[in-house]
Amino acid sequence: MRHLEELHDNGWEKVSSAQLGAQLGLTPSQIRQDLSCFGAFGQHGYGYDITQLSGALKTILGENAKLNAILLGAGNIGKALLCNFCFEQCGICMKAAFDINPEYVSTKIFGVGIYDAKELENYVKNNRVDIAVLCLPKAAAEENAALLKQLGVEAFWNFTNTELFPPESDAIIENVHFSDSLLALSYMLTERKEKNVEPNKRLCG
Amino acid sequence: MRHLEELHDNGWEKVSSAQLGAQLGLTPSQIRQDLSCFGAFGQHGYGYDITQLSGALKTILGENAKLNAILLGAGNIGKALLCNFCFEQCGICMKAAFDINPEYVSTKIFGVGIYDAKELENYVKNNRVDIAVLCLPKAAAEENAALLKQLGVEAFWNFTNTELFPPESDAIIENVHFSDSLLALSYMLTERKEKNVEPNKRLCG
DNA sequence: TAGATTGTTAATCGATTAACAATC
DNA sequence: TAGATTGTTAATCGATTAACAATC
């Protein structure tokens, strides 16, 4: 999706699975087979019309679903998201943010009102909330996630450094674990450096 | 790793592959086989000593490698990372940040000095830089990543919403693509809602 | 010794790749 | 029609799971 938009911005109108594959580091087969899971978006002998394909993907990804979100925790990360991240572009409507800090309450960040955390339950009961964005400290996150789940919120975008629910939970969770990500990078770099020094003791690809 | 630390904090001393699997939503086999890629950390008939295992994983992940990092772009996201993210705990030493905004230059955020972006090249030439954390707007990110790569920086923690290098590049990149993440969530939620409404037109798992 | 649980080998499953008929 | 490229079926490959001998 991201790549298709880039191509579109650069004036491309069509693209073949071979081109897409080369640009993304995938095989043409993979492009075609993955897309075919969701339908037939290409034209034989021509390729994929970029506008058409990205339109279809948008629908599949739910960008047209008009989902409502709220944000919990207007600290540094929460603020950074509200200010910098374009929820709109992902088809998400950011409705409200909640915090316990009285300094923040009743202010607005980038057009989004900050409410007292005490009002959270009431808000969720009276408004449709599809996605909760969690930017809280660990303990508060678990507590609030459980509450929200109970109130019917199904999806969580989790910036806390914890698993919110046990594996058997049916909540939909997308974790953004910064430390996992950085450690993965650290691992890849460390591994490469070791390989360069002692090229004979590697295991497992 | 994260889970082992949690167990440790809760007073656990040993854990079996069956327990770990249940807690993480994996099969015991997977736990054992994945760990065995890197060595034999358990004891037959006993399980894994948590301190010992997490110590071993730390080394594997490079937490003991003492890597140096710099951060580019002290805007909202950059600031949030500097203030809230514990690089230390991942074994990373955050040495310096760079920005073009004269308001930021020569100040400090959370103990990390902000320098003028003009000094970047000079700094990298005179100091070891293992990891560059990119919190820049797209265009600037590509430019700076190319420069850093040329100066010998191998690893990039990328908070830009773009691919920094073509797939064939040998740079080590860990992307944190917020919009990808949110769209994945949006997809899962949309898919579930559709399934509930029309339970008969699903494809591909 | 009996019980538990590992590390590893073999069996199964799913995902990726290759091939090709269909078709624009 | 010839050339290009899709969507899909079959072949290959790798990853997950199951099984079990080794051992604490």
Side-chain angles (χ1 to χ4, degrees), chain A residues 108-133:
Chain A
K108 279 196 169 192
I109 296 181
F110 232 74
V112 178
I114 319 286
Y115 301 92
D116 193 305
K118 285 177 206 142
E119 296 174 39
L120 176 62
E121 183 161 350
N122 215 2
Y123 179 91
V124 176
K125 279 177 176 162
N126 292 302
N127 298 273
R128 202 189 84 208
V129 175
D130 299 298
I131 296 175
V133 183

Side-chain angles (χ1 to χ4, degrees), chain A residues 144-154 156 165 169-172:
Chain A
N144 281 287
L147 170 66
L148 289 169
K149 178 93 204 329
Q150 206 192 313
L151 294 170
V153 178
E154 291 185 69
F156 297 85
F165 298 102
S169 161
D170 68 339
I172 296 173

Side-chain angles (χ1 to χ4, degrees), chain B residues 71-85:
Chain B
L71 186 145
L72 273 62
N76 267 296
I77 302 170
K79 225 180 288 176
L81 281 177
L82 291 175
C83 294
N84 289 306
F85 184 76

Side-chain angles (χ1 to χ4, degrees), chain A residues 23-80:
Chain A
Q23 289 157 9
L24 297 168
L26 301 163
T27 61
S29 281
Q30 196 161 37
I31 301 278
R32 293 207 299 278
Q33 192 151 76
D34 283 7
L35 288 176
S36 83
C37 288
F38 299 96
F41 308 111
Q43 277 170 260
H44 287 239
Y46 174 89
Y48 299 88
D49 178 279
I50 288 178
T51 313
Q52 211 172 297
L53 179 57
S54 70
L57 292 187
K58 236 175 217 153
T59 301
I60 292 163
L61 290 172
E63 280 193 53
N64 299 327
K66 292 277 165 205
L67 300 170
N68 285 345
I70 58 172
L71 185 143
L72 272 62
N76 267 297
I77 302 169
K79 223 179 293 176

Side-chain angles (χ1 to χ4, degrees), chain A residues 59-191:
Chain A
T59 301
I60 292 163
L61 290 172
E63 280 193 53
N64 299 327
K66 292 277 165 205
L67 300 170
N68 285 345
I70 58 172
L71 185 143
L72 272 62
N76 267 297
I77 302 169
K79 223 179 293 176
L81 281 177
L82 291 176
C83 295
N84 289 306
F85 185 75
C86 194
F87 287 93
E88 197 75 18
Q89 235 171 54
C90 287
I92 310 284
C93 187
M94 177 52 69
K95 290 289 188 180
F98 296 85
D99 203 290
I100 48 167
N101 188 335
E103 264 183 51
Y104 297 153
V105 171
S106 303
T107 67
K108 279 196 169 192
I109 296 181
F110 232 74
V112 178
I114 319 286
Y115 301 92
D116 193 305
K118 285 177 206 142
E119 296 174 39
L120 176 62
E121 183 161 350
N122 215 2
Y123 179 91
V124 176
K125 279 177 176 162
N126 292 302
N127 298 273
R128 202 189 84 208
V129 175
D130 299 298
I131 296 175
V133 183
L134 302 182
C135 304
L136 299 158
K138 194 173 137 159
E142 280 172 16
E143 227 174 85
N144 281 287
L147 170 66
L148 289 169
K149 178 93 204 329
Q150 206 192 313
L151 294 170
V153 178
E154 291 185 69
F156 297 85
W157 200 20
N158 178 30
F159 287 82
T160 315
N161 200 28
T162 345
E163 288 336 293
L164 292 177
F165 298 102
E168 66 273 16
S169 161
D170 68 339
I172 296 173
I173 302 145
E174 177 70 18
N175 291 309
V176 183
H177 285 317
F178 291 118
S179 62
D180 290 19
S181 171
L182 184 55
L183 280 176
L185 186 67
S186 165
Y187 166 68
M188 291 187 282
L189 186 58
T190 307
E191 192 205 31

Side-chain angles (χ1 to χ4, degrees), chain A residues 203-204, chain B residues 31-42 48 53 56-57 60:
Chain A
L203 315 127
C204 282
Chain B
I31 301 278
R32 293 209 297 282
Q33 191 150 78
D34 283 7
L35 288 176
S36 82
C37 288
F38 299 97
F41 308 111
Y48 299 87
L53 179 56
L57 292 186
I60 291 163

